[in-house]
Amino acid sequence: MLSRLIARHFRNFDALDLSVPPEGLVIVGENGQGKTNLLEAVAFLSLLRSMRGARDVDLIRFGAPALHVRAELAAPTVVHGVSVGFERATRRKKVALDGVEPPRLSDALGALPSVSFSPADVALVAGTPGDRRRFLDVTLALTSPAYLHALQRFRAALLRRNALLKQAQRLGARADSMADEVALWEPVLAEQGAVVAALRLAFVRHEADRFAMLAAAMGERQAVTMRYTVTGLGTGPGAGPTAPSATGEGAGASTATGEAMAAEFRERYSAALAHQRPQELRRGVTLVGPHRDELALLLGARELRTFGSAGQQRSAAIALRLLELSAVRRTIGGAPLLLLDDPFAELDLGRAARVLGLLEEAGVEQVLLAVPRLEDIPAAFTRLTRATMRDGVLS
């Protein structure tokens, strides 16, 4: 799928020009030499942002005015070339597909389909609710145009409403004077937030059994489950912070699907936003919406992020990435490029072998594997061409 990668002034690369064999490549090098940067450059062409959460400006090589990353692609991708550039001075990002700039940046999202696995993925389990929401956002944005559209519109409305709420907070006792202006953004928040929440919940419900199965296949003996909770939908005094029908295990979620689920959420978001508005004017922030929801990962009845061991958290994180891999595969009709950043480093041999088996079952066609030593290459990937990375130079 990826036949050539060119990176200029990206991270520690001055000028990287790499031909990639059809089956993939192993990059060997000590820590800090640029192995992960190479994988990040590839992911940048898929996500249009850093897979490690860095700001675009921080991806530019020190002292350089701009970065540029380009890939030449082979079948089965529809697009034959994708490039992304970003300028330090203007903060402008430019994307091109086959040399043509699309009407919207998001039109290039997923042009080079890839899924990454890394020890840093443990943050999906042990990190904040925002880390898990981001996982859902990326997975669904890559696989559902309706989700991407709703998420973009929701975020834009949320940004503007929060800016107004900050102004109101500074007014103190006179904050209520801005109530009508704040309320203008609530229909969009309710409409688009309902779509975001409904599609997240539908995904979690659809994948919950497979998530549990994958964790068990990696050797976890206790039941590992996931549940999505839509918060903040109480509509009156005394209502709880979590809507009873809005969890993956609740009665409402088990009967409401698709548009019906979104319609239910839209009505409840509208009522909750109106009810919370006086408090939000005082606090200066929107308290209702999918930006406050949680993907709960449980070990038995307890939270994995608190009570799970390092191995259990790593297994759950890999299971989430395998769900992403399957979702992308269904969308594109083939295996995405696998970016493996020393993914077995913190796993015992038994778990590592089982993870490799699951990857093979999921379907592996092209792999970029980064490891610090030759002996760290799993047997399944010893057939791949090898290259050495040192100080941002590949040989």
Side-chain angles (χ1 to χ4, degrees):
M1 189 179 303
L2 173 64
S3 60
R4 185 183 181 194
L5 175 70
I6 298 171
R8 300 283 187 263
H9 306 308
F10 184 93
R11 292 285 194 182
N12 69 330
F13 301 137
D14 182 23
L16 176 74
D17 192 336
L18 171 66
S19 295
V20 183
E23 67 278 6
L25 185 71
V26 176
I27 304 101
V28 183
E30 297 178 357
N31 292 334
Q33 301 303 306
K35 304 187 306 297
T36 300
N37 293 345
L38 190 151
L39 301 186
E40 187 177 25
V42 176
F44 190 62
L45 293 169
S46 176
L47 303 176
L48 309 182
R49 52 173 287 180
S50 166
M51 69 180 188
R52 293 188 277 183
R55 300 181 304 166
D56 290 335
V57 69
D58 294 329
L59 301 177
I60 303 175
R61 181 180 171 91
F62 182 75
L67 66 81
H68 185 260
V69 184
R70 179 166 65 89
E72 295 177 4
L73 311 179
T77 57
V78 176
V79 175
H80 300 293
V82 55
S83 65
V84 183
F86 182 78
E87 295 180 345
R88 186 189 299 275
T90 62
R91 298 295 201 270
R92 182 170 183 262
K93 184 181 292 182
K94 184 176 181 180
V95 176
L97 300 176
D98 290 335
V100 178
E101 190 171 356
R104 297 173 300 272
L105 282 177
S106 58
D107 291 341
L109 192 68
L112 172 55
S114 66
V115 176
S116 63
F117 291 76
S118 164
D121 290 341
V122 73
L124 298 177
V125 179
T128 67
D131 293 315
R132 290 178 286 282
R133 288 193 297 268
R134 194 174 301 113
F135 163 78
L136 291 174
D137 287 342
V138 168
T139 301
L140 290 170
L142 289 172
T143 56
S144 170
Y147 184 87
L148 176 59
H149 177 73
L151 182 66
Q152 289 175 325
R153 295 196 66 190
F154 173 81
R155 285 179 170 173
L158 180 66
L159 183 67
R160 288 164 174 79
R161 188 173 187 269
N162 278 342
L164 290 172
L165 288 171
K166 287 291 185 186
Q167 294 179 32
Q169 185 186 39
R170 289 193 289 268
L171 292 175
R174 294 179 291 128
D176 290 344
S177 64
M178 295 187 63
D180 290 343
E181 195 173 355
V182 168
L184 288 175
W185 292 100
E186 291 170 12
V188 170
L189 284 178
E191 179 84 20
Q192 305 304 326
V195 175
V196 170
L199 290 178
R200 284 180 183 173
L201 177 54
F203 174 82
V204 172
R205 288 176 56 204
H206 183 267
E207 300 291 348
D209 288 345
R210 177 165 168 77
F211 176 74
M213 181 274 291
L214 289 170
M218 281 183 272
E220 183 49 53
R221 297 178 181 178
Q222 297 188 60
V224 176
T225 57
M226 66 177 178
R227 183 181 65 218
Y228 185 77
T229 303
V230 181
T231 60
L233 290 187
T235 58
T242 302
S245 67
T247 67
E249 299 173 348
S254 65
T255 57
T257 58
E259 293 181 2
M261 190 187 303
E264 176 194 350
F265 288 160
R266 181 170 59 251
E267 292 179 6
R268 302 182 71 177
Y269 274 138
S270 295
L273 285 163
H275 175 70
Q276 292 280 10
R277 194 185 308 132
Q279 182 180 0
E280 292 173 335
L281 287 165
R282 292 191 298 272
R283 295 182 57 176
V285 66
T286 300
L287 301 173
V288 176
H291 61 296
R292 302 179 70 86
D293 292 350
E294 167 68 302
L295 174 63
L297 306 175
L298 306 175
L299 182 66
R302 302 191 296 181
E303 290 192 357
L304 254 172
R305 67 184 179 90
T306 303
F307 296 98
S309 68
Q312 291 169 326
Q313 292 176 350
R314 286 282 296 124
S315 294
I318 291 172
L320 289 176
R321 288 299 189 199
L322 287 168
L323 295 183
E324 179 185 353
L325 172 60
S326 297
V328 174
R329 185 184 180 91
R330 288 193 300 269
T331 301
I332 67 174
L337 173 61
L338 282 189
L339 306 177
L340 305 180
D341 187 11
D342 201 12
F344 314 110
E346 299 176 7
L347 297 177
D348 58 60
L349 293 178
R351 285 184 190 253
R354 288 188 283 270
V355 170
L356 278 169
L358 290 170
L359 284 173
E360 291 177 354
E361 288 179 15
V364 175
E365 294 183 12
Q366 190 179 41
V367 176
L368 291 181
L369 170 66
V371 292
R373 297 172 297 275
L374 288 173
E375 54 266 31
D376 295 321
I377 303 174
F381 298 130
T382 53
R383 71 186 188 282
L384 298 180
T385 302
R386 303 172 191 177
T388 300
M389 177 72 73
R390 180 174 295 173
D391 293 331
V393 178
L394 203 62
S395 59

